[in-house]
Amino acid sequence: MAQPATLILTTAMLASLLSPPTAGAQDPAGQPAGRGRGAATPRVARPSLFFKEEWKQTPAGGEHPVVASEALANPNLELKLYGSSSKEIQLTGSAQDETNPIHLWTGSCTTPCAVALRDKTNYGDLTGLARIRWVTKVSGFHQVRPIVKLADGTWLVGDHTDGSTSDWLQNDFSLTDVRWLRLDIAAVVTKGNFVEKPDLSKVDEIGFVDLLPGSGHGPGGWIDVATIEVFGKPVKR
């Protein structure tokens, strides 16, 4: 009767089987050794803070039309207002009152209006894990939406919305999850279809929009926007 074959492993063969793969080694399928299904995917780092704006109240305090030269707490930023009634955007609130922090309010705008911030020396690279964090509150059906101006002058408005009618809330959102429509910045209205994969590697201005007219004081329709933080990579202008 034939005897079963005996598997004989030499010391060299055992060492080869037990030792870890060397750098640059490949498996029989030609793939880098050690990168099977269970291997961890490369880690993508979150970008650091690109800019933050908390707004600055005047010595007199109270509610008043926002003035670019007075309203910015960050000296590296420029403030831009858009829309035919954007001069009616008000700055109000107090840094010592968490129920009414310093913020911009659109209730006096009789048309859609928008606010944007521009870093004086850098574009913002908002690709990858770039995100926006802001503190907002709304009334009625109004919602706070992000807007961006690309380096080529194109304006976009996002489908992401925030705004609680009951309290000031802080929200973070990733820009890679946002879908974008073109924005006619003069009239502050959306145009056309969704823009597929817009290039956010050089963003000139970043801000928010209220696409509905305000209803004045009291409940009805407006947005409040307090602190804004943008996390992205600076790109020299």
Side-chain angles (χ1 to χ4, degrees):
M1 180 182 293
Q3 297 296 320
T6 302
L7 179 62
I8 301 175
L9 297 178
T10 66
T11 303
M13 294 172 66
L14 283 170
S16 175
L17 290 171
L18 296 175
S19 60
T22 56
Q26 294 185 331
D27 63 22
Q31 299 299 318
R35 294 190 182 180
R37 294 181 180 178
T41 57
R43 182 186 177 196
V44 179
R46 282 183 171 182
S48 57
L49 182 66
F50 175 44
F51 70 68
K52 178 178 181 178
E53 180 53 57
E54 299 179 285
W55 312 113
K56 184 173 64 175
Q57 183 60 282
T58 62
E63 179 185 309
H64 50 83
V66 61
V67 178
S69 59
E70 300 175 345
L72 292 174
N74 186 337
N76 297 323
L77 299 180
E78 297 174 352
L79 176 65
K80 305 293 187 70
L81 305 179
Y82 297 100
S84 59
S85 64
S86 61
K87 291 183 179 180
E88 298 304 319
I89 297 174
Q90 304 288 302
L91 186 148
T92 187
S94 169
Q96 287 73 47
D97 185 355
E98 65 176 9
T99 65
N100 187 34
I102 302 175
H103 63 278
L104 302 189
W105 176 71
T106 65
S108 294
C109 294
T110 56
T111 61
C113 54
V115 174
L117 295 165
R118 179 180 186 270
D119 187 280
K120 295 177 181 177
T121 56
N122 297 293
Y123 293 106
D125 179 350
L126 302 186
T127 60
L129 296 182
R131 69 191 193 280
I132 291 176
R133 173 186 298 157
W134 53 24
V135 178
T136 64
K137 187 179 180 182
V138 302
S139 179
F141 291 144
H142 290 235
Q143 293 288 299
V144 185
R145 295 177 180 268
I147 59 171
V148 294
K149 179 186 179 184
L150 307 184
D152 65 2
T154 301
W155 279 95
L156 302 173
V157 55
D159 67 344
H160 177 89
T161 61
D162 281 312
S164 164
T165 59
S166 58
D167 196 9
W168 292 92
L169 295 182
Q170 176 178 287
N171 297 98
D172 286 53
F173 61 95
S174 176
L175 291 166
T176 193
D177 294 330
V178 177
R179 299 179 69 200
W180 302 92
L181 284 173
R182 292 185 182 274
L183 180 68
D184 178 339
I185 197 61
V188 194
V189 296
T190 58
K191 306 288 280 188
N193 299 315
F194 282 105
V195 178
E196 296 296 329
K197 298 180 180 180
D199 183 3
L200 301 183
S201 61
K202 279 189 176 181
V203 176
D204 186 31
E205 299 180 29
I206 306 163
F208 63 87
V209 64
D210 187 348
L211 291 175
L212 298 173
S215 65
H217 291 90
W222 39 259
I223 67 173
D224 287 334
V225 179
T227 301
I228 301 176
E229 298 173 84
V230 177
F231 297 83
K233 301 174 184 176
V235 179
K236 284 295 182 182
R237 294 187 179 278

